[in-house]
Amino acid sequence: MVVLGQSRSEEKDIVSKITDKARDITGKEVDRVLAYRLEEGSHIPHLFSAQDIEQMAEEYPAQERYPVASMVRRLQAADPGIRLAVVVRGCDERALIELAKQGQVDLERLVLLGLACGEELAGACGCSQPYPSEVLEGEKAEGDLDLGMVEKLEGLPPGERLDYWLSRFNTCVKCFGCRNVCPLCYCKECALDEPELVEPGELPPRLPVFHLVRAVDMAGRCVDCGLCEEACPVGIPLRTLYRKVGEAVESRFDYRPGRSLEEESPLAVLGTEEDVS
Amino acid sequence: MTDYRTVPTICPYCGTGCGMLLEVSGGELIGILPQKGHPVSDGTLCVKGWTSHEFVGSSRRLTSPTIRRGEAAGEASIDEAIGLVARELWRVVDEHGPDSVAFICSAKCTNEENYLVGKLARAVVGTNNIDHCARL
Ligand code: SF4
Ligand code: SF4
Ligand code: SF4
């Protein structure tokens, strides 16, 4: 049986140029800055104003990433007039771009303070673009979407591959963390809350419905940030699952969620059958 | 103007002690995030932790004790309710002995409060009948 280890990076990115800029613009160009604050050794999300911007954290540890795009979405919804700045890694920007295309955030009212991920984190994540479009801090590391695990599993005979996934799904404790943490999951009514699909109290959730519902819903939306996999208490390789789905969308539509604001999402256009063949 | 901050704390539900962040905005608890790098849970929570902000403002939450008298149950003050419980407990203990009662404490109490319940059971009432909702 294949065992997929979650690779983690211990790296810490220094963000002094970002904190300088944040201090400059807060109370002028923007009202608030969404960034991290250091409390008892922990970097935690915080919305800074001109009063407390001095407390903005100077380091961004790879292991302490939070779904900032979801926070921006909720903040803009609560206060449509708010002028926000936010510190973004590549994946945060991808999530914001995808959310903007879905009408969930307004990039016009957002200042992005771009942080390029260090090489170690970029390597551990294996994401396609470990930096945002405009980098204020850090050196751009090589971006190369890591489909190694997808290919490894695809190399298995179908029966074994199915056994592998079912044995992993079988460990699911139905915490809903993968959905809750996902920056692209914002539906008010979620299929996973439908008792016909996911019976309340049933553990593990009926195989493989729970995990495939989410996988299908992530097609054309998942920006490969890896937050779901990090939130999974039992280490199900969710990122690999959604990369496979992403690969299916990309090979047919040449669409990669969050890559560019201009590219039209296949979810937004009704095409003909020829468009897919 | 909108505010948003997170407050690190420990999940109130069971004895595991997972680390979580309360998301606070406009004086309200709007969500929970698992605390990254926490020595117990490192960025993960179970479904109870993930939803533990929901009961705080719930309209179904009990905000005062209720005493049943005959068929009717009515609201009572804390002092009145504790007085009744104490009198009745002592009556049962006097009639049937200390092992006729049991104490259940809770993960939602602090360590110190649970310690005091242990003292109350063992030293004051004289029974070892004590258990905990989080002994999963
Ligand atoms: S997914 Fe990419 S951008 Fe996001 S943290 Fe990992 S390396 Fe950085
Ligand atoms: S990697 Fe996971 S959390 Fe991130 S966008 Fe994709 S499904 Fe959502
Ligand atoms: S995070 Fe993992 S354990 Fe929790 S619901 Fe998702 S797959 Fe299941």
Side-chain angles (χ1 to χ4, degrees):
Chain A
M1 178 170 134
V2 194
V3 177
L4 304 182
Q6 276 174 296
S7 40
R8 300 292 291 270
S9 161
E10 304 268 332
E11 206 164 57
K12 281 187 177 147
D13 293 303
I14 309 293
V15 295
S16 46
K17 285 189 203 123
I18 288 181
T19 43
D20 284 350
K21 166 125 192 217
R23 281 169 192 151
D24 274 355
I25 61 174
T26 313
K28 297 177 203 121
E29 209 178 307
V30 299
D31 308 305
R32 297 280 191 269
V33 179
L34 184 59
Y36 291 165
R37 186 168 63 87
L38 185 61
E39 185 166 317
E40 291 169 17
S42 210
H43 294 79
I44 60 174
H46 187 84
L47 188 64
F48 292 92
S49 69
Q51 275 75 46
D52 61 358
I53 188 74
E54 292 303 317
Q55 293 167 29
M56 190 176 152
E58 302 274 347
E59 281 178 341
Y60 264 53
Q63 292 195 359
E64 293 173 274
R65 296 191 296 122
Y66 288 94
V68 287
S70 310
M71 295 165 197
V72 169
R73 176 179 59 75
R74 287 181 295 164
L75 285 165
Q76 287 192 338
D79 182 355
I82 193 170
R83 295 173 310 157
L84 269 181
V86 55
V87 183
V88 290
R89 293 182 183 273
C91 50
D92 300 319
E93 184 187 59
R94 293 199 290 276
L96 286 166
I97 287 177
E98 207 50 38
L99 286 172
K101 287 193 219 179
Q102 295 170 26
Q104 299 299 315
V105 302
D106 182 358
L107 292 176
E108 300 285 309
R109 289 186 295 123
L110 205 54
V111 175
L112 302 182
L113 307 171
L115 170 63
C117 296
E119 272 193 24
E120 194 187 307
L121 175 58
C125 276
C127 96
S128 58
Q129 194 186 307
Y131 48 85
S133 49
E134 276 182 46
V135 174
L136 188 56
E137 188 102 51
E139 295 289 318
K140 286 186 188 177
E142 189 82 31
D144 193 10
L145 183 61
D146 181 4
L147 289 172
M149 282 306 171
V150 170
E151 280 156 16
K152 195 165 172 180
L153 286 168
E154 235 137 55
L156 294 176
E160 259 180 64
R161 190 162 73 222
L162 181 66
D163 285 349
Y164 169 79
W165 281 113
L166 291 182
S167 71
R168 300 311 305 266
F169 293 161
N170 201 31
T171 61
C172 173
V173 294
K174 226 164 98 182
C175 66
F176 291 89
C178 46
R179 174 198 66 184
N180 296 352
V181 84
C182 176
L184 271 302
C185 275
Y186 56 82
C187 300
K188 290 208 172 71
E189 285 174 27
C190 171
L192 300 181
D193 294 327
E194 285 298 326
E196 289 79 25
L197 282 175
V198 180
E199 199 181 315
E202 190 183 30
L203 209 67
R206 204 177 323 148
L207 302 179
V209 177
F210 184 97
H211 298 89
L212 293 194
V213 163
R214 228 188 95 70
V216 168
D217 284 359
M218 283 301 117
R221 288 163 76 197
C222 170
V223 295
D224 190 34
C225 67
L227 287 171
C228 49
E229 188 167 299
E230 282 186 19
C232 181
V234 294
I236 299 175
L238 297 167
R239 203 168 182 176
T240 300
L241 182 65
Y242 305 141
R243 273 181 183 166
K244 173 64 202 162
V245 180
E247 186 207 30
V249 171
E250 189 167 351
S251 66
R252 283 163 185 78
F253 300 98
D254 189 25
Y255 184 75
R256 192 180 273 179
R259 179 166 55 189
S260 114
L261 195 57
E262 279 71 47
E263 284 174 1
E264 200 164 18
S265 165
L267 296 175
V269 279
L270 287 176
T272 63
E273 247 173 64
E274 279 121 59
D275 297 328
V276 222
S277 53
Chain B
M1 177 57 71
T2 315
D3 66 314
Y4 171 89
R5 68 197 165 99
T6 54
V7 182
T9 188
I10 304 292
C11 177
Y13 268 113
C14 84
T16 306
C18 296
M20 61 190 203
L21 303 181
L22 309 177
E23 293 186 283
V24 185
S25 182
E28 301 227 347
L29 203 45
I30 60 163
I32 299 283
L33 286 167
Q35 187 178 5
K36 297 293 178 104
H38 189 271
V40 171
S41 49
D42 189 14
T44 68
L45 290 171
C46 82
V47 71
K48 295 194 288 179
W50 267 110
T51 53
S52 56
H53 60 296
E54 290 175 7
F55 69 79
V56 176
S58 168
S59 57
R60 293 172 61 205
R61 191 172 171 181
L62 298 181
T63 50
S64 81
T66 307
I67 296 178
R68 179 181 293 280
R69 296 181 182 87
E71 282 302 294
E75 281 197 6
S77 71
I78 295 266
D79 284 349
E80 203 183 341
I82 297 234
L84 178 67
V85 169
R87 276 196 307 282
E88 286 299 304
L89 268 182
W90 279 126
R91 186 180 61 74
V92 173
V93 170
D94 284 345
E95 281 176 27
H96 305 284
D99 283 338
S100 61
V101 297
F103 289 75
I104 296 178
C105 37
S106 165
K108 289 198 181 61
C109 300
T110 64
N111 201 33
E112 290 71 19
E113 285 162 340
N114 281 317
Y115 173 82
L116 289 174
V117 177
K119 277 284 181 214
L120 178 67
R122 296 197 171 94
V124 180
V125 174
T127 178
N128 285 327
N129 292 340
I130 176 158
D131 214 329
H132 193 284
C133 74
R135 205 166 60 106
L136 299 173

